[in-house]
Amino acid sequence: MVAPAVRVAPSAATRALNLLRTVQFTHPPSCPCHSNPSHHHHHQQQQQTLSLAHHVRRHLATPVDPSREKEYAFEMAASSIRFGPGATKEVGMDFKNLGAKRVCVVTDANVAKLDAMKQAVEGLSREGIEFTVFDKVRVEPKDSSIKEAIAFAKPYNPDAFLAVGGGSVIDTAKLMNLYTVFPDADFLDFVNAPLGKGLPVTKPLKPLVAVPTTAGTGSETTGTAIFDLVAKKAKTGVAHRNLKPTLGICDPINTRTMPSAVHASSGLDVLCHSLESWTAIPFNERVPRPTNPINRPAYQGANPISDIFSLNALRSTVKYLPRAVKDPEDFEAQSQMLLAATLAGVGFGNAGVHLCHGMSYPISGQNPGYKHAGYAVDHPIIPHGVSVAVTAPAVFRFTAPSNPDRHLAAAEAFGVDISNVKRESAGEVLSEAIAEFLIKLGDQPRGLKALGFKSSDIDSLVEGTIPQKRVLMLAPNLSEEISAEKEELRKLFEQSMEY
C-alpha cells in the first residue's frame, strides 16, 4: 500500500518529530546521523539510545506548532447492534431493561403506518411503558423541521428515545435527544464548524434505540446527524460519539416495505460510504492532533479497523444492491443490504467520508426543482444516495493518485480484473466501473444535468461545498490553499454534469 501524498510541506519541527519517531520505532535505527548496519546488535541498541537522546535534546527545544502536529491515534466507536428478522418485537423489553419510564417515539408519516411501527408500539405497550409519538419527521430534514421536533421533545422530557424509520428519522431523534439534554444550548452550538460552533458534547445523552427501516444511512451505528441549514443553502449537522444510539435493532423484515427507488438510493449511500471511507486520508496524516481526546473528531481518516468494515460493505453492495432493486421479493438481497449498510456505518462512522458527501450537500440543498421518482413526498427531492452517487465517477478518478492500490482494490470489488492494470490508470478504471454500475442499476440520473443543474450553477455549488470542512479535510489529493481547492471542486462539478 502506498502512503498518500502529504498535503502540506511539514515544518522543520514536524520533520524533526517524524524523524524522532522513525528512530524510536525502527530496528536498526534509520536515523541518517547514526545508523550503521555493520555494527553488532548491542552496539545498535547503544546507538539507538544515543540517537534518541540526541534528537530529544536537539529538536524538542524547538517549539512545535500544534496546528501542524499529525494525529497518532484513532478511536473506534459504534452502537451495539442486534441483527435478525423479528428483533423489533424485543424493543419494549429493551426499554424495561434500561429502566426507562417515558419514551419519545420518533417516526415519519409514512413509516407511522407500517408494521415496524406497529411492532414497536405493541412492544412498549406490552411492557407497560408510557410513550408519546412524534410522527412529523421530514424526509431529508431541514433546520426548521429539526427545531419543531426538539420543541415537541423538550416539554415531554422523556428518559429515552426510540427512532423507527430511515436516516432522516434516526438523525432527527439524535438531535431531539441532544437538545433535550442541553435545553439551554443555542441551536448552532453543536453544529459543525464553520457553520456552527462545533462544541463537543460534554455529557452522555439519554438512551436512544434506533430501528432502521431503510438499508442505507447506517445512522443506527454513528454519532452523526445531518440536516439542511436553509439560510446558508448548505447541508450540515452535528457529529460526536455521544450522539450514537445505545442500540441499533436491524430487522430485515422492516426493509421489505421499501419501494424500489428507495432501495436504490439508500444502497447508493452505502456504496459511497464504503468507497469514501476506504479511500479517505490515513488517520495519522490528519492535522491537527487534538489537544484533548474529547476533541478527536468522529471522522478520523482511514484506519485498520474501519478498512475491514468498509471493504466488506463495498463488496456486499456490488453483489446484492442490483438484486434488491430488481426484485422486491429477494429477501436475501434485502437482508444482506441492511447488513452492508450497518457494516459501512461502522466503517465510515469512524473513518469518515469525503468528496462525494461534501459535494452532495449543496446538490440536495440547492435542488433546482427535481423530484425523484418513487418517493412519496409532496416537495422536490434529490434523495441523499442520488446526490452522493452522481459525483462518484469524477471523484474517484480525482482521488486515485493519492493511493492507486486502494483504488484498484475498490475496482476489483466491482469485478474488474486488475492483474494487468497500471497503477496510474487506477482512477480511470475505478471511475468507469462505478459509472457502469450506476447505469446498470437503472433509473439513475446520469449527472447533474439530469437533476436540472446548469453550468451557471457550478460556482454556487462550489461555495456550498467549501464549508464542509469536516469531510473535505479527509479528501485525498485536495489542495489546502482555498483558491486551488475551489478550482479543483469546480472541475469535479463540471465533470459530474454528465457521465
Side-chain angles (χ1 to χ4, degrees), residues 81-253:
I81 295 296
R82 181 180 304 142
F83 190 100
T88 311
K89 63 178 176 288
E90 298 181 353
V91 73
M93 292 181 273
D94 287 315
F95 282 110
K96 192 162 194 180
N97 295 340
L98 286 164
K101 303 281 192 291
R102 291 154 65 82
V103 176
C104 182
V105 183
V106 186
T107 190
D108 66 40
N110 291 322
V111 177
K113 304 171 195 141
L114 301 180
D115 191 56
M117 191 59 186
K118 181 169 169 272
Q119 292 287 332
V121 164
E122 279 178 6
L124 291 171
S125 305
R126 212 167 25 243
E127 299 299 328
I129 290 165
E130 183 201 319
F131 64 91
T132 187
V133 177
F134 178 80
D135 62 3
K136 294 187 174 65
V137 169
R138 179 190 165 98
V139 177
E140 304 294 343
K142 294 185 182 295
D143 48 353
S144 54
S145 74
I146 298 285
K147 286 173 181 171
E148 183 189 353
I150 293 164
F152 177 90
K154 273 184 180 175
Y156 186 67
N157 196 25
D159 44 29
F161 287 83
L162 169 62
V164 184
S168 300
V169 167
I170 299 170
D171 285 7
T172 300
K174 288 174 184 174
L175 296 171
M176 292 165 83
N177 191 359
L178 175 64
Y179 289 99
T180 305
V181 171
F182 290 88
D184 302 324
D186 180 74
F187 184 68
L188 289 175
D189 279 357
F190 299 108
V191 171
N192 299 322
L195 294 168
K197 289 186 187 165
L199 297 179
V201 179
T202 50
K203 55 187 176 187
L205 304 187
K206 305 280 174 73
L208 163 61
V209 176
V211 182
T213 57
T214 62
T217 66
S219 185
E220 67 279 1
T221 77
T222 74
T224 305
I226 300 293
F227 60 86
D228 239 326
L229 195 58
V230 176
K232 300 282 186 191
K233 289 190 175 172
K235 277 213 172 192
T236 183
V238 179
H240 193 274
R241 289 176 189 82
N242 287 1
L243 256 71
K244 69 184 191 306
T246 315
L247 171 67
I249 298 182
C250 300
D251 182 341
I253 292 170

Side-chain angles (χ1 to χ4, degrees), residues 16-40:
L17 275 175
N18 288 345
L19 187 58
L20 178 58
R21 287 189 200 108
T22 307
V23 172
Q24 200 171 355
F25 298 117
T26 314
H27 299 272
S30 58
C31 164
C33 323
H34 301 293
S35 62
N36 185 344
S38 64
H39 286 191
H40 58 76

Side-chain angles (χ1 to χ4, degrees), residues 146-366:
I146 298 285
K147 286 173 181 171
E148 183 189 353
I150 293 164
F152 177 90
K154 273 184 180 175
Y156 186 67
N157 196 25
D159 44 29
F161 287 83
L162 169 62
V164 184
S168 300
V169 167
I170 299 170
D171 285 7
T172 300
K174 288 174 184 174
L175 296 171
M176 292 165 83
N177 191 359
L178 175 64
Y179 289 99
T180 305
V181 171
F182 290 88
D184 302 324
D186 180 74
F187 184 68
L188 289 175
D189 279 357
F190 299 108
V191 171
N192 299 322
L195 294 168
K197 289 186 187 165
L199 297 179
V201 179
T202 50
K203 55 187 176 187
L205 304 187
K206 305 280 174 73
L208 163 61
V209 176
V211 182
T213 57
T214 62
T217 66
S219 185
E220 67 279 1
T221 77
T222 74
T224 305
I226 300 293
F227 60 86
D228 239 326
L229 195 58
V230 176
K232 300 282 186 191
K233 289 190 175 172
K235 277 213 172 192
T236 183
V238 179
H240 193 274
R241 289 176 189 82
N242 287 1
L243 256 71
K244 69 184 191 306
T246 315
L247 171 67
I249 298 182
C250 300
D251 182 341
I253 292 170
N254 295 335
T255 63
R256 291 186 182 181
T257 47
M258 282 167 75
S260 177
V262 180
H263 259 304
S265 171
S266 303
L268 292 178
D269 198 19
V270 182
L271 187 80
C272 289
H273 282 158
S274 16
L275 277 167
E276 289 171 76
S277 50
W278 171 248
T279 57
I281 67 165
F283 75 93
N284 55 1
E285 288 290 327
R286 198 188 73 252
V287 291
R289 180 193 306 168
T291 50
N292 183 314
I294 198 171
N295 297 320
R296 180 165 283 122
Y299 286 5
Q300 303 164 87
N303 62 76
I305 301 180
S306 284
D307 286 350
I308 296 165
F309 287 87
S310 301
L311 196 55
N312 195 309
L314 176 60
R315 288 175 179 144
S316 277
T317 304
V318 169
K319 181 175 180 181
Y320 292 109
L321 180 58
R323 280 173 50 182
V325 170
K326 190 172 157 195
D327 179 8
E329 300 301 307
D330 187 341
F331 296 135
E332 185 200 6
Q334 291 188 26
S335 182
Q336 289 294 332
M337 276 310 301
L338 180 60
L339 187 55
T342 302
L343 291 171
V346 176
F348 93 86
N350 293 282
V353 287
H354 54 79
L355 284 165
C356 295
H357 273 74
M359 294 166 72
S360 80
Y361 299 141
I363 291 170
S364 46
Q366 298 174 29

